[in-house]
């Protein structure tokens, strides 16, 4: 048996491949365009593992995707591929529309053509039959006030950034392909992830690496924006569980029950670094905190009500924020060569040499 995964040279996808192969013999075909966020070093330890096949390409390339579907006959397609960073979407929304909206549309059409030709036994909605699982975000629901209840699957979509609007559009396409064509889809909406292989444009890895490099730790606005943090392996286990037992056509909210204000997250990181790798001058990393101009349209608070995942699928996160964040700092301290490759841009040179990317 085989699954086709997209975007799995990125942060969550690469963690998913590791988590998946740790407990399954099933082959994983990994289609990734290797944008700036795609890094094959995230999958270095799988170089000689025949269960993982890497294919360089775009989810929007229908010929290529059709070829892969015919060749590998996957029992499921999991779509992680996306442009994922809000700040980049503000500076240049075009790529977000291209990949997240048009790319998902093209992928859905390629998958629909494949699914339509599957034998009848593979096309009904029993647990063994084909699935298309779409990985999405809590940001599609918009923003919460301090007193609002966390987002449920029934909340209306109210995206505020070009990123979240493009993800919301892709979720709507996935929903429509189920209702109109019967494609057996599952959608997961998850809160902010953190953990190994996180690209250092996002808050947590950025703060760890800037702190160690003696650079400022930028806090947007007043730093009181709240995110619901989930350790990435818990997200990966949730996705595997939805694939295994989720009800076709349904959406599942995934979150950590871990709401934290940004400033508290940064202070926690500084305190762990003070303990594990103290500054040479003996001063506190928190002295590097710098308040900067706020992000335009900055959502104030996200929080997920993940009780459907718990009640219907028996999933709960294993890591608390305290255990997960410590593991994450330890991972960055222990993986200097990965960090160097990313910060020096050496991983891009490797790509240029191999793919002319
Ligand atoms: P990422 O930016 O780290 O990785 C994205 C990957 O997709 C990269 O490897 C990139 O090369 C690839 N890619 C981009 N465009 C492509 C295309 N057109 N064709 C093929 N591959 C392409 O993102 P991530 O943080 O790992 O997020 C993965 C998914 O999870 C995204 O769909 C994102 O919206 C969603 N998500 C992320 C978070 C989070 O906190 N990071 C939370 C909830 C949901
Ligand atoms: P980010 O990691 O970009 O995730 P998202 O915008 O998808 O939630 O940012 C997390 C929070 O941290 C968000 O409220 C913006 C804030 N932030 C900063 O304050 N400083 C930074 O340098 C970055 C990258 C983010």
């Amino acid at each position: 048996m085989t699954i086709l995964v997209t975007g799995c040279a990125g942060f969550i996808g690469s963690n998913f491949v590791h988590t998946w192969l740790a407990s399954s013999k099933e082959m994983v075909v990994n289609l990734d365009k290797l944008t700036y966020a795609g890094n094959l070093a995230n999958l270095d330890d799988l170089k000689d593992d025949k269960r993982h096949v890497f294919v360089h390409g775009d989810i929007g390339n229908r010929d290529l995707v059709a070829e892969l579907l015919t060749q590998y006959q996957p029992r499921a397609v999991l779509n992680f591929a996306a442009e994922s960073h809000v700040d980049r979407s503000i500076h240049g929304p075009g790529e977000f529309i291209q990949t997240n909206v048009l790319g998902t549309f093209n992928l859905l059409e390629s998958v629909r053509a494949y699914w339509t030709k599957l034998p009848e036994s593979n096309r009904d909605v029993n647990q063994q039959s084909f699935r298309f699982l779409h990985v999405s975000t809590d940001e599609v629901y918009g923003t919460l006030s301090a007193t609002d209840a966390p987002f449920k699957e029934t909340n209306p979509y109210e995206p505020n950034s070009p990123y979240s609007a493009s993800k919301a559009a892709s979720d709507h396409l996935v929903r429509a392909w189920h209702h109109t064509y019967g494609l057996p889809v599952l959608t997961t909406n998850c809160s902010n992830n953190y953990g190994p292989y996180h690209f250092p444009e996002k808050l947590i890895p950025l703060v760890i690496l800037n702190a160690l490099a003696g650079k400022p730790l930028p806090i947007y606005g007043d730093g009181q924006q709240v995110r619901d943090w989930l350790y990435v392996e818990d997200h990966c286990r949730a996705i595997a569980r939805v694939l295994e037992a989720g009800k076709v056509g349904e959406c599942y909210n995934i979150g950590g029950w871990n709401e934290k204000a940004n400033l508290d997250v940064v202070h926690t990181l500084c305190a762990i670094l003070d303990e594990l790798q103290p500054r040479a001058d003996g001063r506190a990393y928190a002295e590097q905190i710098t308040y900067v101009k706020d992000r335009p349209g900055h959502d104030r608070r996200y929080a997920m009500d993940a009780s459907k995942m718990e009640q219907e699928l028996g999933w709960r996160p294993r890591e608390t924020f305290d255990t997960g964040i410590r593991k994450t700092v330890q991972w960055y301290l222990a993986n200097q060569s990965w960090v160097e490759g990313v910060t020096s841009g050496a991983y891009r040179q490797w790509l240029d040499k191999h793919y002319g990317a």
Side-chain angles (χ1 to χ4, degrees):
M1 301 260 266
T2 300
I3 60 171
L4 173 66
V5 294
T6 71
C8 286
F11 164 48
I12 300 175
S14 60
N15 276 284
F16 179 81
V17 173
H18 286 116
T19 309
W20 182 262
L21 290 178
S23 63
S24 167
K25 292 196 169 63
E26 219 171 335
M27 185 164 152
V28 175
V29 179
N30 179 357
L31 172 66
D32 196 296
K33 187 177 168 183
L34 297 178
T35 66
Y36 79 94
N39 182 357
L40 286 178
N42 298 357
L43 300 158
D44 233 12
D45 51 328
L46 298 172
K47 267 198 312 256
D48 301 320
D49 192 325
K50 295 207 163 38
R51 294 172 305 163
H52 175 247
V53 177
F54 179 76
V55 181
H56 182 218
D58 194 314
I59 56 166
N61 182 340
R62 286 205 205 177
D63 291 341
L64 173 63
V65 174
E67 224 172 85
L68 294 176
L69 292 168
T70 306
Q71 182 181 352
Y72 292 104
Q73 298 284 309
R75 63 144 180 128
V77 174
L78 284 73
N79 184 30
F80 293 83
E83 289 294 332
S84 71
H85 189 40
V86 174
D87 293 327
R88 282 181 190 257
S89 83
I90 294 167
H91 292 291
E95 280 300 309
F96 288 72
I97 306 303
Q98 198 59 43
T99 283
N100 300 0
V101 186
L102 292 174
T104 303
F105 158 65
N106 282 312
L107 181 64
L108 281 166
E109 280 297 80
S110 307
V111 170
R112 182 164 75 92
Y114 165 73
W115 170 75
T116 308
K117 292 196 202 106
L118 286 176
E120 203 56 43
S121 60
N122 245 332
R123 298 193 49 229
D124 61 20
V125 288
N126 73 53
Q127 294 295 347
Q128 308 322 318
S129 59
F130 181 82
R131 295 283 184 274
F132 178 87
L133 188 151
H134 181 62
V135 178
S136 192
T137 167
D138 57 358
E139 305 193 23
V140 297
Y141 295 118
T143 187
L144 294 168
S145 75
T147 52
D148 284 335
F151 300 125
K152 290 179 90 72
E153 289 81 356
T154 46
N155 273 61
Y157 272 29
E158 293 177 345
N160 292 320
S161 72
Y163 163 66
S164 56
S166 68
K167 289 297 289 185
S170 70
D171 295 6
H172 288 324
L173 293 175
V174 170
R175 175 188 162 91
W177 261 239
H178 172 64
H179 281 270
T180 302
Y181 304 113
L183 191 70
V185 307
L186 299 157
T187 299
T188 57
N189 293 87
C190 189
S191 62
N192 283 63
N193 285 214
Y194 66 98
Y197 306 113
H198 206 179
F199 193 76
E201 64 185 354
K202 306 276 170 77
L203 179 70
I204 287 180
L206 181 106
V207 165
I208 297 171
L209 300 188
N210 276 16
L212 294 169
K215 294 182 182 165
L217 312 180
I219 305 282
Y220 296 168
D222 64 1
Q224 292 308 313
Q225 302 82 6
V226 170
R227 299 292 182 262
D228 175 357
W229 294 97
L230 180 69
Y231 191 64
V232 63
E233 269 178 34
D234 277 321
H235 184 194
C236 295
R237 276 192 287 270
I239 291 171
R241 182 70 188 135
V242 171
L243 180 64
E244 178 181 52
K247 210 163 137 218
V248 162
E250 299 268 321
C251 300
Y252 293 89
N253 282 1
I254 303 168
W257 305 103
N258 257 323
E259 287 185 56
K260 304 274 175 211
N262 292 339
L263 194 58
D264 294 338
V265 170
V266 174
H267 274 292
T268 302
L269 290 168
C270 289
I272 297 173
L273 284 169
D274 285 339
E275 177 195 329
L276 299 182
Q277 188 137 316
R279 266 171 55 157
D281 62 7
R283 300 175 81 117
Y285 283 105
E287 289 185 18
Q288 292 166 231
I289 289 175
T290 312
Y291 289 87
V292 299
K293 193 163 166 280
D294 207 354
R295 171 189 280 173
H298 199 170
D299 284 337
R300 196 69 183 165
R301 173 176 167 238
Y302 303 139
M304 278 305 220
D305 181 337
S307 48
K308 179 172 170 181
M309 278 297 297
E310 181 165 1
Q311 283 155 18
E312 294 188 13
L313 301 182
W315 172 91
R316 254 195 94 82
R318 289 184 191 166
E319 300 291 342
T320 63
F321 189 69
D322 288 347
T323 58
I325 201 72
R326 182 167 282 272
K327 272 190 185 180
T328 303
V329 175
Q330 283 165 336
W331 187 88
Y332 279 88
L333 291 174
N335 286 276
Q336 279 306 315
S337 64
W338 183 90
V339 169
E340 300 254 309
V342 169
T343 47
S344 70
Y347 81 108
R348 295 299 311 171
Q349 287 151 23
W350 189 91
L351 280 186
D352 289 345
K353 212 163 86 205
H354 281 74
Y355 295 111

